[in-house]
Amino acid sequence: MRILLVATAYNGLSQRAHIELVDRGHEVSITLALSEAEIRNAVSLFEPDLIICPFLKEKIPTDIFQKILCIILHPGIKGDRGASSLDWAILNDEVEWGATALQADEEMDAGDIWDSVNFPMRAASKASLYRREVTRAAIQAMLKTVERVESGSFRPEPLNYNDPTVRGTLRPSMKQSDRAIRWKQDNVATILKKIHAGDSAPGVVDLIDGEEYHLFGAHEEGVLRGAIPGDIIAKRHGAICRAAIDGAVWISHLKKKNVAQEPFLKRLISGNRAPLDFKLPATMVLGDKFSSTPEAPIDLLHRDGAPTFREIWYEEGGGVGYLHFDFHNGAMSTEQCRRLREAYVLALKRPTRVIVLMGGTDFWSNGIHLNMIEAADSPADESWRNINAIDDVVLEIITTSTHLTISAVWGGAGAGGAIMTLAADEIWAREGAIMNPHYKTMGLYGSEYWTYLLPRRVGPARALELTEQPLPIGMKKARSINMIDAILPDAHEAFTAQVREKAEALAARPDFNILLDGKRERRARDEAIKPLAAYRAAELARMRANFYGKFYGGGISYHQARHDFVHKIRPKQTAAHLARHTQLDFARLGELRQPLTY
């Protein structure tokens, strides 16, 4: 079928929907819902048989859904309606939630139901639940719906609140008063729920030292305690720890409320520092206000099971070391890269044979930290420090000669993070993972030794295609082009169990030393052909031009692209590489095609 995806943003769910539909042979184009005119234009050009809206905050125009079947993927159970579906599910301690494929109608979320898939809730942030459970359920519902549309015989189920199986209801948009933390009354579990329900947006507005901030990134603390609820009692790696009535809670990120934005070009001319109207590590946002707050240090290879805020931790067993690095949204700042490199070097000194790079729970890695760079006094200088710091991490992995290394990719990976996975000897990825191994949308040439790692894996021609066409890659394609070595289950427990089983089997192989010798020989051979230092120097020469010049390849300015990304400025039009309908040659289409109508 010819399917048009209409989305508010090309987010993770939209990318997964795109990949899954293309994998099944459908002709797919995408338009962002920037205006009703934009949607109508896409429909007119593409003439879709079906419209699917994987992530949509706007309303589909009536004249569109009356002519063409439009399916909305809603992050809620049958009957659930409203913009704060997942927020309420978290705050109300729902044991089970779901995702529903429903037909667009005049009343938002009230259309006929084509499919609904439920899942058990997990104690996690809204963003984490959305990226994992909601996305998985929504994709299942979408694919079942497409099958039913193709059959031509299925009749969707009208929404009927008299049906006892319909447990959802219309809920209002959640307000800050619903999320407000009452430090003298709320226990740790309640505080966590409230912050989780607003993460990654809009956050929970709260007072700190008389000023209002949005709170993000809540983590329970198992040991530290404070006398006065709400007080900041410790800090660690940018996060702050606040006392509660029955314990303490770490808050990793803040955003100051009501910060006025300044247009990029005006700021560029004036030389003013970027307004900090975006999410940053808490201590950075607070500045010197709590400089005397004590540090709560943690081991680089942290292995204690007590709950606390940790970005890097380590496990070991069966001759295998598992190094986790769970950085907020997968972004890795200069300091985080340096800590990760140090932790990796320490892990190599452990009595193990295999190191598994586990990455994070939602993202494996997304490369350099654009928010931290945007907030720096000199974004160009911080960009340079950050890219060199991540290059140092990648170099350590590539040149490891004492262990076999594995990238176990559960969360998505983008830009330098996607390339970093390739530094390991083997890459095992979750079935539903998505990689974006390109830099062009950010106006960058790229580093992380990609000019060595990517062609080594997929060949020079494919490497050029992957970096020049800024599209996501699903794991079926990644496996077919040798970008990864194995596809593991889409369920987290099954994924981690298989990683452990396969890694321990590799460590126990009788020919392990032969495998290790072969790895050393290949690295020595590659080094003799072209040293890693030469790859890095060439890449960084191009990156220096990106950071300190204006454009890469006549394209978008890195500084403008980064500014728009960090400040969440929507594009003026859908990118050409997504809007396939703008590239169609209608002279070859022949007769006008009539879309299916309902």
Side-chain angles (χ1 to χ4, degrees):
M1 280 198 299
R2 180 171 286 195
I3 300 175
L4 178 68
L5 297 183
V6 179
T8 297
Y10 193 53
N11 68 346
L13 177 54
S14 301
Q15 292 180 33
R16 177 87 181 268
H18 185 189
I19 288 167
E20 296 285 353
L21 291 169
V22 169
D23 281 350
R24 285 159 177 78
H26 298 288
E27 193 177 349
V28 181
S29 188
I30 298 127
T31 186
L32 299 182
L34 301 172
S35 68
E36 290 192 356
E38 183 101 357
I39 298 171
R40 289 192 181 97
N41 183 57
V43 170
S44 174
L45 291 176
F46 197 56
E47 297 182 327
D49 300 314
L50 174 66
I51 294 173
I52 296 176
C53 307
F55 170 63
L56 189 65
K57 294 181 179 180
E58 298 77 13
K59 189 175 184 291
I60 286 282
T62 302
D63 58 300
I64 299 295
F65 69 69
Q66 285 181 345
K67 293 178 182 177
I68 303 170
L69 175 62
C70 297
I71 297 296
I72 311 293
L73 300 184
H74 176 70
I77 55 176
K78 279 186 184 181
D80 177 79
R81 296 169 57 202
S84 301
S85 172
L86 207 47
D87 310 55
W88 287 115
I90 294 169
L91 210 55
N92 292 340
D93 288 318
E94 295 286 352
V95 175
E96 182 181 68
W97 206 239
T100 302
L102 51 89
Q103 194 163 326
D105 198 69
E106 285 294 346
E107 257 191 293
M108 293 284 281
D109 304 330
D112 292 352
I113 297 166
W114 283 75
D115 195 46
S116 190
V117 177
N118 288 359
F119 54 82
M121 284 287 280
R122 172 172 56 93
S125 72
K126 177 174 63 172
S128 182
L129 288 164
Y130 185 87
R131 293 179 186 123
R132 285 168 59 169
E133 285 86 351
V134 170
T135 293
R136 189 178 176 207
I139 293 300
Q140 290 176 14
M142 179 194 75
L143 295 176
K144 177 56 72 174
T145 297
V146 170
E147 286 179 18
R148 287 170 169 170
V149 172
E150 287 184 302
S151 75
S153 59
F154 181 81
R155 290 294 171 263
E157 169 192 341
L159 177 58
N160 177 14
Y161 284 117
N162 293 320
D163 183 344
T165 66
V166 177
R167 296 189 296 108
T169 187
L170 173 61
R171 299 179 189 274
S173 294
M174 189 175 286
K175 300 175 182 177
Q176 283 296 341
S177 57
D178 300 312
R179 307 178 194 275
I181 297 171
R182 297 165 178 82
W183 290 97
K184 294 181 179 180
Q185 302 171 30
D186 291 344
N187 59 20
V188 166
T190 301
I191 295 167
L192 291 172
K193 277 194 306 182
K194 287 180 175 180
I195 299 178
H196 284 339
D199 206 342
S200 62
V204 173
V205 175
D206 193 44
L207 279 175
I208 299 178
D209 197 32
E211 293 193 72
E212 288 187 310
Y213 298 87
H214 295 263
L215 314 183
F216 306 92
H219 304 261
E220 182 182 357
E221 167 57 35
V223 176
L224 299 176
R225 295 292 183 268
I228 303 174
D231 271 8
I232 296 175
I233 58 174
K235 58 187 178 183
R236 173 190 299 153
H237 298 152
I240 54 174
C241 187
R242 300 183 71 178
I245 59 174
D246 62 340
V249 175
W250 286 95
I251 297 163
S252 66
H253 286 70
L254 298 176
K255 182 176 75 172
K256 197 167 184 179
K257 191 183 176 187
N258 299 327
V259 177
Q261 277 199 36
E262 185 178 19
F264 172 74
L265 289 178
K266 183 179 178 182
R267 182 169 61 81
L268 194 65
I269 294 167
S270 67
N272 292 337
R273 180 175 175 169
L276 303 184
D277 62 337
F278 48 88
K279 216 179 296 183
L280 286 165
T283 57
M284 185 173 181
V285 176
L286 295 173
D288 295 332
K289 288 186 177 183
F290 295 90
S291 57
S292 61
T293 301
E295 289 280 344
I298 192 170
D299 290 341
L300 270 171
L301 296 185
H302 177 73
R303 298 173 74 176
D304 188 349
T308 192
F309 169 68
R310 55 184 188 175
E311 293 180 312
I312 299 172
W313 68 97
Y314 179 78
E315 299 173 280
E316 192 172 291
V320 181
Y322 302 88
L323 186 61
H324 301 259
F325 42 100
D326 196 3
F327 301 120
H328 193 74
N329 287 340
M332 298 166 59
S333 68
T334 302
E335 189 268 336
Q336 288 168 326
C337 288
R338 289 170 179 167
R339 274 195 286 120
L340 178 58
R341 178 182 173 274
E342 190 177 346
Y344 180 77
V345 170
L346 285 175
L348 292 178
K349 296 177 180 178
R350 299 288 306 162
T352 55
R353 290 178 141 198
V354 173
I355 296 290
V356 182
L357 301 164
M358 297 295 291
T361 53
D362 291 329
F363 295 102
W364 197 86
S365 171
N366 280 323
I368 60 175
H369 202 311
L370 299 177
N371 282 31
M372 292 289 282
I373 291 168
E374 181 73 5
D377 290 332
S378 170
D381 289 347
E382 183 54 34
S383 298
W384 184 253
R385 286 189 289 267
N386 203 164
I387 199 66
N388 274 280
I390 196 171
D391 279 2
D392 289 343
V393 176
V394 176
L395 180 62
E396 287 290 351
I397 301 168
I398 295 173
T399 57
T400 297
S401 60
T402 57
H403 290 68
L404 293 182
T405 56
I406 298 158
S407 291
V409 184
W410 166 263
I419 299 301
M420 183 172 148
T421 66
L422 310 182
D425 302 314
E426 294 217 8
I427 303 104
W428 306 338
R430 172 176 63 96
E431 181 184 358
I434 294 170
M435 291 190 186
N436 281 276
H438 52 80
Y439 306 84
K440 287 197 74 172
T441 54
M442 201 50 59
L444 292 173
Y445 178 76
S447 192
E448 294 92 7
Y449 299 88
W450 80 261
T451 52
Y452 169 64
L453 294 170
L454 196 54
R456 183 180 71 164
R457 270 275 174 181
V458 304
R462 182 75 73 175
L464 187 63
E465 174 192 326
L466 293 175
T467 51
E468 288 296 311
Q469 296 181 9
L471 289 168
I473 298 176
M475 294 306 97
K476 287 181 183 177
K477 179 178 179 181
R479 181 68 190 91
S480 71
I481 64 175
N482 199 43
M483 193 170 167
I484 66 171
D485 299 291
I487 298 176
L488 302 190
D490 207 15
H492 191 258
E493 287 186 10
F495 172 86
T496 54
Q498 281 206 22
V499 167
R500 293 181 187 281
E501 180 182 340
K502 287 167 64 67
E504 290 183 15
L506 178 60
R509 280 182 57 159
D511 61 345
F512 179 86
N513 288 331
I514 295 173
L515 295 175
L516 196 58
D517 287 341
K519 170 184 175 173
R520 292 170 182 145
E521 289 168 7
R522 285 190 298 274
R523 176 81 283 281
R525 193 162 55 244
D526 287 351
E527 187 71 12
I529 295 169
K530 183 176 179 179
L532 286 173
Y535 287 101
R536 180 166 177 166
E539 291 170 3
L540 289 180
R542 301 290 290 270
M543 292 291 271
R544 178 174 281 277
N546 296 159
F547 297 154
Y548 294 98
K550 289 186 177 179
F551 300 104
Y552 153 56
I556 188 171
S557 157
Y558 157 67
H559 295 291
Q560 175 78 66
R562 186 196 65 247
H563 172 274
D564 292 353
F565 174 83
V566 169
H567 296 274
K568 302 188 185 304
I569 296 173
R570 297 190 76 188
K572 292 183 174 63
Q573 61 185 24
T574 306
H577 63 274
L578 300 177
R580 190 169 178 273
H581 51 275
T582 63
Q583 306 164 27
L584 289 175
D585 181 0
F586 289 96
R588 294 187 286 106
L589 288 180
E591 61 181 356
L592 290 174
R593 302 170 67 256
Q594 294 298 319
L596 300 175
T597 57
Y598 292 81

